[in-house]
Amino acid sequence: MSFHTPVSLSEHRESQLVRLLQAAIIGILAVGLWQGNAGIAVNASVGLLVTFLPAFFDRNYSITMNGGIVLWITLAMFLHALGTLSLPALGFISPYKSTWWWDHMTHALSSSLVAGVAYAVTRALEEHTEYISMPSTFMFVYLLLFVMAFGVIWELIEFYVAVVSNLVGIGKVLTQYGLDDTILDLFYNTIGGLLVALFGTAHLTDLSDQLRAKFESPNR
């Protein structure tokens, strides 16, 4: 079963949108380098690399993600990179700072990716071995707990990256806005995992089947 966007775009159109978003991320990266802003440049660079992971897995491991999943990944990376961008001369302020819901949206979207990966890998292992069995109810709880745990680890990473950035004087690469913001981040992480657990697992079946085939025949 393939993953389709809500507006049911064709595979070709999804591919075009992916390329457009990647070009936009490159533009954001260029602005970060031009401004000497480490936060913009680093976040855009990492996001851009993530958008090329589907092509990497397809080329090197013959694991093919359909256009909808690739667009899902690329959109998440673009929105995060855009959130760090500031163009004061044009009156454009970082959405992370100027738009109260931006951080919540990107956390929910990013956590949905984490939940999607967790589901695909876990289901592949379940199909591959008789020693793992996950009824649908348990899978639902597992995905939520996995995303919540990953969210806690990510908040710790944000904190220590901010500390190290300040120590070496390269500016803020990742930013925390206090305990209240951290709690909200964890809440919206859970929302992203919940959405995948409720509606997204069926769309990841094809990907998990490919992973299972790789487990059973690594040289395939």
Side-chain angles (χ1 to χ4, degrees):
M1 183 179 297
S2 61
F3 179 92
H4 295 286
T5 56
V7 291
S8 190
L9 299 174
S10 68
E11 193 84 9
H12 177 67
R13 184 64 65 186
E14 288 170 342
S15 179
Q16 287 182 323
L17 287 173
V18 167
R19 298 291 178 266
L20 180 63
L21 292 173
Q22 287 176 324
I25 296 173
I26 292 173
I28 294 171
L29 171 59
V31 171
L33 294 174
W34 176 65
Q35 293 180 345
N37 188 311
I40 297 174
V42 171
N43 283 284
S45 297
V46 172
L48 186 62
L49 287 175
V50 171
T51 68
F52 285 109
L53 286 179
F56 172 81
F57 284 113
D58 187 16
R59 182 174 60 253
N60 293 281
Y61 300 102
S62 298
I63 296 175
T64 304
M65 303 180 198
N66 64 52
I69 293 178
V70 178
L71 181 57
W72 176 23
I73 294 169
T74 307
L75 180 62
M77 296 303 102
F78 166 72
L79 291 174
H80 172 62
L82 181 63
T84 67
L85 180 65
S86 285
L87 294 169
L90 300 177
F92 184 83
I93 307 301
S94 162
Y96 276 131
K97 297 178 180 179
S98 63
T99 306
W100 67 268
W101 48 262
W102 194 273
D103 186 47
H104 307 325
M105 174 187 67
T106 55
H107 268 275
L109 191 54
S110 297
S111 65
S112 73
L113 293 178
V114 173
V117 171
Y119 171 78
V121 173
T122 303
R123 184 182 180 280
L125 289 172
E126 181 184 18
E127 296 291 326
H128 173 63
T129 175
E130 61 183 20
Y131 300 108
I132 297 177
S133 176
M134 288 209 177
S136 58
T137 301
F138 185 80
M139 178 68 82
F140 178 87
V141 174
Y142 162 77
L143 289 178
L144 290 183
L145 292 177
F146 187 93
V147 168
M148 292 172 66
F150 186 89
V152 171
I153 293 172
W154 180 254
E155 292 299 320
L156 291 173
I157 291 173
E158 280 190 341
F159 174 78
Y160 286 110
V161 167
V163 170
V164 172
S165 297
N166 288 331
L167 289 176
V168 300
I170 62 172
K172 294 182 178 180
V173 176
L174 295 174
T175 304
Q176 282 191 321
Y177 297 98
L179 181 60
D180 290 344
D181 180 71
T182 297
I183 298 301
L184 283 173
D185 286 347
L186 295 175
F187 172 76
Y188 284 98
N189 287 344
T190 305
I191 294 297
L194 180 64
L195 291 174
V196 172
L198 288 173
F199 308 111
T201 54
H203 304 300
L204 294 161
T205 301
D206 180 65
L207 179 59
S208 62
D209 287 344
Q210 291 184 64
L211 291 172
R212 175 185 54 78
K214 278 296 176 183
F215 294 150
E216 295 176 353
S217 181
N219 296 322
R220 179 177 171 181

